[in-house]
Amino acid sequence: MNVASSLAAPHLHRLRSWLLQPTGRKAHRSWRLRNLIHTAFLGVSVVIGVMFYRFVRAAATGSFPLPDRPAGVESFLPISGAMGLKHWWLTGTLNDIHPAATIIFVLALVLALLLRKSFCSWICSVGWLSEKLAAVGRRLFGRNFRLHPWADIPLRGLKYFVLGFFAVEIWRMNAVALGAFLNTPYNRVADVKLGLFFANLGGVGLGIVVGLVVASLLVQGAWCRYLCPYGALLGLFSRLSPVRIRRDPVSCTNCGLCDRVCMSRLPVSTSIDMRDAECTGCLDCLAVCPAQEALTLRAGPKRVPVWTFALLLLAIYLGGYVTARGLGLWDTAIGDLEYAARIQNIHGPEYGHPGGGGYRGD
Ligand code: SF4
Ligand code: SF4
């Protein structure tokens, strides 16, 4: 055994024990597993954020050679990713401005098709933050609040409204318009503009962020439930997924624990097959169910072990990333000199938003 593996062995042993130890409420350890993977992805996002900050700061001051720009930052550009996907579909060529945005968008869709909205509950950093804010809210107020259905149902429609707006805009654009938009000065530095937006929040922006944080403390997953168009799209795709939670009414004791833990507030205890577009595939209902065999994860008639679900999710997402890198479909073609020149003039009028679906590049 070499020095590295002997140093790592106790840590791996402790991690395994943590994953497998009884939690006092779980027949298996899916909650711990999901939390570990979700937190690891959050860690990756933090590292990406720090790297991107260093890159932008060096580019703004012309400190060459610039540090590496992490292409993963494009995960925060889903609209550019969706436009890139349609452009790729129409032209057969993946744009080289933000190719990683399109690859990540495709991987999230593939995950939704196979493993429900697992992107939201296992990968997305905003989803992670939403869950933690809800947990803080429960500590502060003793509970999370529920809106009356008269408010809840129309508000849940908001995210589909926002999704519909973007979908129509992109639908109306042909290959020329999409190519022109992707090449605008605005889109070429959309990642930097997004970062600057959050770094320099004005009164209105700050008010919106504070409002969302307070809403997330009070109502579990307020952003995801009411506003996120990305989650809305993944939910629609997840309707086609063969994977779902199945309840066996014979084994079920009607304790209602699954309903109480479900972050999407789905009526698990009265369903047979949970195929709702709001089901994130978090598997928390499985984790809390005290009755053996009452809830199982299924793909068609076949039972899917939680470990298989988690490994498949990692294989698809990380495998997609490695494959894209290997095929040269990950890094932007924008060079450091261009980035530096654009960032130094980023407040100029040419970096304003060029318009939506009516944009024809002229
Ligand atoms: S039904 Fe189960 S897997 Fe789906 S969101 Fe609710 S707790 Fe998570
Ligand atoms: S499925 Fe499990 S957690 Fe849900 S009501 Fe039945 S026994 Fe309780």
Side-chain angles (χ1 to χ4, degrees):
M1 191 187 291
N2 62 30
V3 179
S5 55
S6 60
L7 282 175
H11 297 293
L12 288 175
H13 181 71
R14 269 206 294 278
L15 175 63
R16 188 172 178 278
S17 308
W18 180 76
L19 276 171
L20 296 181
Q21 71 183 267
T23 60
R25 59 177 188 145
K26 297 182 174 93
H28 50 68
R29 314 299 165 216
S30 61
W31 183 86
R32 283 178 183 275
L33 183 62
R34 182 172 76 83
N35 208 29
L36 181 74
I37 292 174
H38 211 176
T39 306
F41 275 110
L42 174 82
V44 171
S45 294
V46 171
V47 170
I48 285 174
V50 172
M51 288 175 70
F52 189 61
Y53 171 76
R54 292 183 63 231
F55 170 81
V56 173
R57 197 178 57 175
T61 54
S63 308
F64 288 95
L66 300 184
D68 283 344
R69 171 188 172 278
V73 76
E74 294 172 22
S75 63
F76 292 96
L77 304 175
I79 310 290
S80 188
M83 286 183 168
L85 178 58
K86 185 176 174 191
H87 184 258
W88 194 5
W89 175 269
L90 293 175
T91 64
T93 306
L94 177 62
N95 82 90
D96 56 9
I97 306 302
H98 296 307
T102 301
I103 296 293
I104 293 167
F105 186 74
V106 170
L107 291 174
L109 294 182
V110 170
L111 279 178
L113 280 173
L114 295 176
L115 304 175
R116 312 206 65 82
K117 282 169 66 178
S118 50
F119 181 85
C120 303
S121 59
W122 292 70
I123 295 175
C124 177
S125 301
V126 181
W128 185 94
L129 192 61
S130 253
E131 283 186 43
K132 301 307 168 201
L133 284 172
V136 172
R138 283 194 294 277
R139 280 184 169 248
L140 288 177
F141 310 113
R143 55 178 287 213
N144 293 129
F145 297 89
R146 294 184 175 207
L147 297 187
H148 190 279
W150 284 104
D152 183 60
I153 292 170
L155 280 175
R156 275 163 58 191
L158 265 180
K159 61 181 183 289
Y160 294 106
F161 178 78
V162 180
L163 172 67
F165 170 79
F166 287 119
V168 168
E169 291 289 294
I170 295 173
W171 178 265
R172 291 168 55 204
M173 297 172 83
N174 60 22
V176 175
L178 286 162
F181 188 100
L182 291 169
N183 274 294
T184 53
Y186 172 87
N187 187 61
R188 290 179 91 87
V189 288
D191 47 353
V192 183
K193 292 208 58 116
L194 188 68
L196 288 177
F197 171 78
F198 283 106
N200 303 301
L201 281 177
V204 176
L206 199 59
I208 292 173
V209 171
V210 170
L212 285 173
V213 168
V214 172
S216 303
L217 288 170
L218 296 171
V219 178
Q220 185 167 30
W223 164 261
C224 312
R225 186 172 183 82
Y226 299 126
L227 289 169
C228 179
Y230 205 178
L233 178 67
L234 298 182
L236 294 179
F237 271 69
S238 78
R239 299 278 300 179
L240 303 171
S241 171
V243 170
R244 83 275 182 202
I245 299 287
R246 175 164 247 269
R247 188 181 67 95
D248 172 17
V250 176
S251 309
C252 174
T253 61
N254 296 108
C255 68
L257 278 175
C258 50
D259 296 347
R260 286 208 285 282
V261 82
C262 177
M263 65 174 81
S264 302
R265 285 180 245 148
L266 295 169
V268 190
S269 68
T270 49
S271 306
I272 297 297
D273 271 325
M274 179 47 69
R275 292 187 177 277
D276 198 288
E278 300 283 343
C279 174
T280 63
C282 67
L283 313 186
D284 286 0
C285 51
L286 274 184
V288 296
C289 178
Q292 282 289 340
E293 303 297 317
L295 291 181
T296 46
L297 185 63
R298 302 261 165 185
K302 283 211 176 352
R303 187 171 180 152
V304 181
V306 171
W307 291 97
T308 306
F309 183 94
L311 286 175
L312 201 54
L313 174 131
L314 291 175
I316 292 169
Y317 201 69
L318 300 181
Y321 159 72
V322 170
T323 307
R325 277 205 89 129
L327 295 174
L329 302 176
W330 187 251
D331 289 310
T332 180
I334 303 174
D336 285 355
L337 278 174
E338 179 181 336
Y339 254 118
R342 291 188 183 280
I343 288 171
Q344 287 163 22
N345 295 295
I346 202 156
H347 298 298
E350 68 271 35
Y351 292 101
H353 195 283
Y359 185 73
R360 291 290 175 268
D362 46 26

